[in-house]
Every structure is written in C-alpha cells, then in structure tokens.
Amino acid sequence: MAEQQDRFGLGFRPELAGGILSNAAKIDLVEVIADDYFDAPKKKVDALKLLAANIPLTLHGVSLGLASSSAIEQARANRIERLCDRVQPIYWSEHLAFVRAGGVEIGHLAMPPKNEQTIEGAVENYARLRGAKPRLENIATLAEPPGSTMDEASWVSRIADETGAKLLLDLHNLYANALNTGRDPLAVLESYPLDRVRSVHLAGGRYLVKENVRRVLDDHLHDVPDPIFALLEALAARTVVPLDVVIERDGNYPPIGSLLAELDAARAAVARGRASPVAWSKKVVARGARARLAADLETSLARYYGGKSAKHEGADRIGLEMARESYAKKRALGRTH
Amino acid sequence: MNVFNWTGPQFLAFYFIFAGIIVLFVRYRAPRGHKDRSPNIDLGDPYLIAYLRGGAAEAVRIATLALIDRDLLDLHPGPEVETRAGVDPNIVRRPLERAILKACKSRQSPEQLMANEDFAIVAKLESGDVLERDGLLLSPAGQKQQQNFLFLIAALLGGVALIKMAIAVSHGRTNVEYLFMMCVIAIFLVFKFGKRTRTRAGEQVLISAKEIYNGLKHRAHTLRAGADPDSAALLAATFGIAALPVYAYAESQALFKKSVTGGSSSSGCGSSCGSSCGGGGCGGGCGGCGG
C-alpha cells in the first residue's frame, strides 16, 4: 500500500466549483459542508457522489453540538451517518462546540464552558455516534466562556484522550483564541495533543473593535495571513503523520489563482516544517475541579447568544457582547443550520 | 373485452390514451449503458460535458468559444473567426482546440466551422469515445438496439391502428382518417423523443453536473470575457452558450445564434431538466466560528 502523503485542498463552495474542478490536478481533496445535504433531494446527493468520484472528498458537519453536557439529538447524528453511507467520504469531521441549549438555537458554533462536565458530555456524545467517527475540530471564540476551569488545549487534550479521536486542528481558530486571550500562539500550539492531529484548517479573519478592545474574528472571508502559515510550518515540524490541510473560504472570493497560490504556500510551509523537525512531547493534563452545572451555563449562554436574554454574568463582558453581535449577524445572513 | 369491437369514438379515445402512454414511456425512458458501476465523468473537462449534452457539434461550439475567450481566436465582422496572428496551434494541449486553430488560420464562418468533418472526428476521438466507453453515450450497437426498439414500438402502434381500420373497412366504415392521423402523429413522436444518444447513466451524470455547477450559473453575471475562461467554458458546456452573460459574451454568442436561442442538441430533446436547485443559498460554508 502506498504511504499516504500530506494532502492539500479547499473548502468546496458552489461559487468555486468551476475553478476547483478545472484545477483538480492541483487540489488533493475538497471539504463539503455536510449540513447542506441533509434531507437533500436525491439528485443533489447524486451530484455529491459524482464530485466524490472526481476528487477525494470529506464531509464537515456544523450542527451536531458535540461538545455539550447535553446529549446530541440522535436524529441529527443519524442524518450525517446516512450521508456518509451514501457519499463515502475519505473522513468526516465536526466541531467541539455547542450550538443549542435550553431549547435555544444559537445558530452557530459556540464554545461551551471548558470544564469536566463538558468533557464528559463530549465523550458521551462521541460514543453515541455509530459508524465511522469524526475528526474533532477546535473552534474560535470571541469570549472566554464563563465557568471554564481549564485552558483550551487542556480541554481538547482531555476530550481527545478519552475518546481516542483524531483532531482537525484549525490554526486560525487557535491563533485567534491565543491573541484574544493574550497568549503566544506557538505556545498554545505546543500544548495541543499534536500526535492526534490528522487534518488542518487554514483561514483568515479580521479584527473587531469594541470599547477599545480588539478581538480577532474568524470569519473565513479573508486571505490566510502569514502567522497561520508559520503555525502550519511549526506543526509540520512537530508531527510525523500525514496531514490533510484544507483552506476554508466562505465568501469574498478571490480568483481561483489566489486560492491555489495559498495552497502552494501551505505546501511550502509543510515542506519546510518536515525538513526541520522539532522534538515535541505530549503533556499530561490533570483533572480539574468541577464547576457550576454546565447545562445551566450552556443554557444561559445560549439564551444570551441567541438574543433571548439581555445580560450575562460572565467576566468577559466585551467578548460576550462581541460574540452575541456576531451570532446575530450570522443568523440574519441565514448562516444557520 | 375486445377493444377492436368498440365503436369509432370509443376506440379513438382508447387509442389516444394507449398511444399517449407509449409516447410518454419512450420520452422518459433512457436506455441502459453497458456499465453497471456508478457513472462518472471528468467534471473539469468542458468538452466532455458539452459532447455529452449536445454531441460533437456542441463540443466544437464550446471549444471555439473557449479559444476566443483565451484570445487565441479573433472574432471578425461577418461573423468570422481567425486564429490570432502569431499563435501556433501546437501550443494548446487539446486535440480539438488544435484542429480548430489550424483550420482557422484562414477565416472561417460559423457554417464552415460546423460543417468541418475533421472537427467531428477529433471530438469523437477525444470525447465521444470516452463517453461511450464509460457507458454515458450509446455505443453503435446500443444505438442499433434502440432503433430496433423504436421500430417495434412503431409496429405496435401501427399494428393496433391497422387492425381497427381493417375491421372498420370490413364493416363498410371508411371514416378512418382520424385514427390514421393519430397513428402517424404517435409514430412521429416516438421517433422524435426516442432517438437518444445518452444512456440512463449519461442522463444522471448530466443532471449531476448541472447540480454541481448551479452555483456557477447563479453567479454567471460576475463573469467577464477573458477573466475566467475555465469557468466560462464549464458554464457554457453544462448549460449552453445562452447561460453566459450577454453583456460580456454577446459577440461570441452571435457566432452560434442557433445555440443561443434554441439550444441545439444532436441527442434530440434529451432531458435538460435538473437545473432548478435551491440556488446559491446553500453551500455557504460554516462562516467561521467563535461568534
């Protein structure tokens, strides 16, 4: 069997179809948003199968809400399993996020309180999935979720350890969270369980400013900035397994040539990293203290993010307000699932 | 119940329904190809898609348009096309493009282009044979089988009508002209709708290609001549030249006016359905996260 090599691809969007398929020789894989095909008519799923026959394809879910102290809805899990059965992707992925609580749909991915209860919830939800298991993606957050008792890397590490899951490491999310909390992105990268990383997302974003506070928003509407390629190089230097690297772009589309140039930059970054390996060792993450009941926290966050309540007690007031405004904009744009 | 004993008006009503069902069956039935595995096509090859949709003629039209879009062919009043000065036909990779550039070293009208048999041969070798091999177009044997099937259907329609006409005449009734006309129309429709070149798999692939490129169709208005020739070629190949934005491609479209207005397809009506997806609203990505 041929050894798998690093693969480099793009998020498949209808607007990019012509450019992607006429340059398929330069693209190793495409990532498709699974939720766009749930309950889709047969002809739409048949088209997805034809796409999968043309170019290796992965499915990326955005609405399961795996990282929650509440159980996932089995019907949602069944839908992605059915789609995977029909389309046979090379793998599928989902986010370590919650998207609903207390009957409120946030309309987008939100980071839950990073504590023992959401770890337990994520592990149980992961076990509820039948069939092939997803790679789990870290998400970005504008606000430090109240009730968190551990940092992001420790939380993800614990979930990965207890599920055995492979990770999809979104470097722009990691970068945004690091800057938003005043941490060094490279130090955050090194505290992640890099031995579990199999896929990588690259994306761009922009700064939001509120009351003189700047936060990075991961909006997928901008070019991949240089620090992200630097993080990719650092990651490649610290891992030995092949990586599937996908550039996500959801709008403000540049010519396909620009996206292909970003793919080439990603290839070069990985090649540089592989050429200069760095020793890395896995960190053991201890169990933390139990916090306030996570379900209550998630519900209060969901109500605040979903516009159902006007205030939240969390310490990161500005971040929470920014997050709420951002979720409201996304709901208004129809980016709901 | 012997329908041949029915009265004239009763039998006409029966024959209308009988022939209607048969014509609809022929209209929507697509012949099987020889391949049983899942159908596939190179979605990045506009000439393959064009050939599947409209045969060699459509592949030639799309290739000509693509060469104009890439500034390798010049459009002149007439209209006529000519290979741009200094362009060596051998710089292009595709045999059909090379053949067109060679032929257009001297100015060619669209009629001359479409009458050039060399183009049809090259297009068949490059695309038609691939589609036949992959079970998306009927092979010559398949076309023969299809023809025999249509003759059989025609014989059935004609036979039923003839039997009734013979019975009517034997009873001294000579007003059989309505039945005769209905029979002729039904047989005409059978051959019009039934003469296909695409197999069932080919129909499915074409519908899927239209589904995949539906987003491209919805943003066609953003295309500018020469700016994104690959996307323009794929759009035109999948949906026809008329799908290109008029303000950017009017002159090119004028070359093949017949394609723009009527949509020609050497495969008969085919089934050019399946283009009404949910539009550009889906596939918006996850839009980033973190609020």
Side-chain angles (χ1 to χ4, degrees):
Chain A
M1 191 192 296
E3 205 178 277
Q4 194 190 311
Q5 300 187 332
D6 298 315
R7 293 186 289 199
F8 298 86
L10 294 173
F12 189 86
R13 309 286 180 261
E15 295 86 347
L16 299 174
I20 287 175
L21 288 165
S22 54
N23 290 283
K26 300 175 189 169
I27 299 167
D28 301 323
L29 74 161
V30 292
E31 182 184 88
V32 170
I33 301 297
D35 299 59
D36 292 335
Y37 292 86
F38 292 158
D39 303 322
K42 184 176 180 299
K43 70 177 182 186
K44 198 171 170 191
V45 179
D46 283 345
L48 192 60
K49 286 163 69 173
L50 183 63
L51 181 63
N54 265 253
I55 190 167
L57 181 149
T58 84
L59 289 173
H60 191 50
V62 296
S63 66
L64 258 187
L66 275 175
S68 169
S69 54
S70 305
I72 53 172
E73 294 171 13
Q74 197 56 48
R76 289 181 188 268
N78 293 344
R79 286 195 299 184
I80 186 112
E81 283 157 19
R82 273 198 303 272
L83 188 63
C84 285
D85 274 342
R86 289 173 77 182
V87 174
Q88 299 289 305
I90 53 175
Y91 66 84
W92 71 283
S93 53
E94 248 288 5
H95 298 81
L96 285 171
F98 81 113
V99 295
R100 62 189 62 84
V104 178
E105 288 283 335
I106 299 170
H108 210 70
L109 306 161
M111 185 173 287
K114 299 182 296 266
N115 57 35
E116 291 295 332
Q117 283 156 305
T118 54
I119 291 173
E120 281 170 26
V123 170
E124 284 168 8
N125 283 332
Y126 188 84
R128 288 186 176 100
L129 298 170
R130 298 180 294 238
K133 302 288 193 184
R135 296 179 185 181
L136 301 177
E137 180 181 356
N138 57 310
I139 72 158
T141 180
L142 285 168
E144 180 59 20
S148 295
T149 59
M150 58 185 71
D151 63 71
E152 169 189 332
S154 301
W155 183 73
V156 173
S157 292
R158 284 282 311 284
I159 292 172
D161 279 346
E162 294 185 27
T163 56
K166 299 294 181 275
L167 295 181
L168 188 168
L169 186 59
D170 189 309
L171 289 175
H172 192 263
N173 291 349
L174 182 155
Y175 176 75
N177 291 351
L179 292 192
N180 291 345
T181 53
R183 300 184 63 193
D184 171 27
L186 182 58
V188 175
L189 177 76
E190 289 192 314
S191 55
Y192 257 79
L194 301 182
D195 56 328
R196 292 200 171 275
V197 175
R198 295 293 181 273
S199 300
V200 179
H201 273 174
L202 308 178
R206 64 184 173 96
Y207 278 100
L208 293 181
V209 181
K210 188 178 177 74
E211 296 177 30
N212 291 323
V213 171
R214 280 194 352 152
R215 297 277 164 97
V216 178
L217 173 70
D218 175 60
D219 65 6
H220 294 187
L221 299 177
H222 297 82
D223 295 345
V224 179
D226 289 340
I228 306 306
F229 290 115
L231 284 174
L232 179 62
E233 181 178 338
L235 172 64
R238 288 159 175 78
T239 64
V240 295
V241 292
L243 297 171
D244 292 321
V245 181
V246 172
I247 293 178
E248 295 182 293
R249 191 70 178 246
D250 295 339
N252 187 27
Y253 298 107
I256 190 68
S258 298
L259 293 173
L260 295 175
E262 286 189 334
L263 271 188
D264 284 340
R267 287 189 177 95
V270 169
R272 287 193 302 271
R274 297 285 191 218
S276 303
V278 170
W280 170 86
S281 58
K282 190 175 166 175
K283 292 163 188 49
V284 176
V285 183
R287 291 191 171 269
R290 290 184 74 80
R292 223 179 93 202
L293 194 58
D296 288 346
L297 281 167
E298 285 174 41
T299 298
S300 72
L301 273 173
R303 288 184 59 77
Y304 182 69
Y305 289 155
K308 309 288 185 199
S309 66
K311 286 175 68 173
H312 199 281
E313 295 167 10
D316 185 8
R317 178 185 63 84
I318 292 176
L320 285 167
E321 286 176 10
M322 281 182 173
R324 175 181 154 107
E325 287 159 13
S326 178
Y327 289 133
K329 276 187 195 150
K330 282 176 178 155
R331 283 194 301 272
L333 283 171
R335 286 196 184 134
T336 57
H337 306 283
Chain B
M1 179 182 78
N2 187 346
V3 297
F4 294 106
N5 291 335
W6 289 4
T7 64
Q10 286 174 335
F11 188 84
L12 278 175
F14 157 75
Y15 192 83
F16 180 80
I17 295 168
F18 170 70
I21 290 171
I22 287 181
V23 167
L24 283 175
F25 169 72
V26 168
R27 167 74 177 86
Y28 289 106
R29 167 197 166 272
R32 282 184 184 280
H34 63 280
K35 297 273 183 190
D36 291 330
R37 62 168 192 248
S38 296
N40 194 4
I41 193 173
D42 180 354
L43 287 165
D45 186 341
Y47 307 146
L48 212 55
I49 297 172
Y51 199 110
L52 179 65
R53 189 173 56 77
E58 191 65 7
V60 171
R61 277 188 281 268
I62 300 305
T64 305
L65 252 146
L67 289 168
I68 294 169
D69 211 17
R70 283 150 55 195
D71 291 335
L72 297 174
L73 274 183
D74 285 330
L75 257 179
H76 296 288
E80 287 180 322
V81 287
E82 185 181 20
T83 301
R84 184 166 286 197
V87 167
D88 176 5
N90 292 316
I91 63 167
V92 293
R93 194 176 48 88
R94 302 297 301 263
L96 180 58
E97 292 179 349
R98 210 176 302 133
I100 293 172
L101 286 176
K102 282 180 179 166
C104 291
K105 280 287 187 187
S106 59
R107 289 194 187 190
Q108 302 282 306
S109 68
E111 292 75 24
Q112 285 171 308
L113 282 175
M114 302 316 296
N116 189 319
E117 288 179 359
D118 289 343
F119 295 165
I121 293 169
V122 172
K124 184 170 189 319
L125 285 170
E126 192 182 350
S127 301
D129 288 349
V130 171
L131 293 168
E132 267 179 42
R133 182 199 67 204
D134 290 345
L136 304 182
L137 287 182
L138 279 177
S139 60
Q143 289 185 36
K144 183 82 184 138
Q145 256 184 350
Q146 175 184 248
Q147 194 177 44
N148 292 342
F149 172 74
L150 293 179
F151 276 124
L152 200 64
I153 295 287
L156 175 66
L157 286 167
V160 167
L162 271 172
I163 291 171
K164 182 58 180 172
M165 282 191 275
I167 291 172
V169 165
S170 72
H171 288 158
R173 302 244 154 80
T174 54
N175 54 338
V176 296
E177 53 274 2
Y178 288 123
L179 179 58
F180 178 78
M181 265 172 23
M182 220 184 275
C183 174
V184 167
I185 291 170
I187 290 174
F188 169 76
L189 289 176
V190 159
F191 279 98
K192 180 175 164 60
F193 292 146
K195 200 162 175 297
R196 297 166 183 269
T197 54
R198 285 191 293 269
T199 63
R200 194 173 304 173
E203 297 289 352
Q204 194 182 326
V205 159
L206 190 56
I207 290 171
S208 291
K210 288 179 175 177
E211 188 67 39
I212 285 168
Y213 289 123
N214 202 45
L216 179 57
K217 188 180 175 195
H218 278 268
R219 72 166 187 93
H221 62 278
T222 66
L223 289 174
R224 299 286 176 265
D228 189 356
D230 290 337
S231 291
L234 285 166
L235 177 67
T238 308
F239 298 102
I241 293 171
L244 293 168
V246 166
Y247 52 81
Y249 289 90
E251 288 179 349
S252 299
Q253 286 168 328
L255 247 190
F256 301 114
K257 264 195 231 115
K258 189 177 168 196
S259 293
V260 173
T261 53
S264 66
S265 167
S266 62
S267 61
C269 321
S271 68
S272 56
C273 58
S275 63
S276 58
C277 138
C282 56
C286 67
C289 44

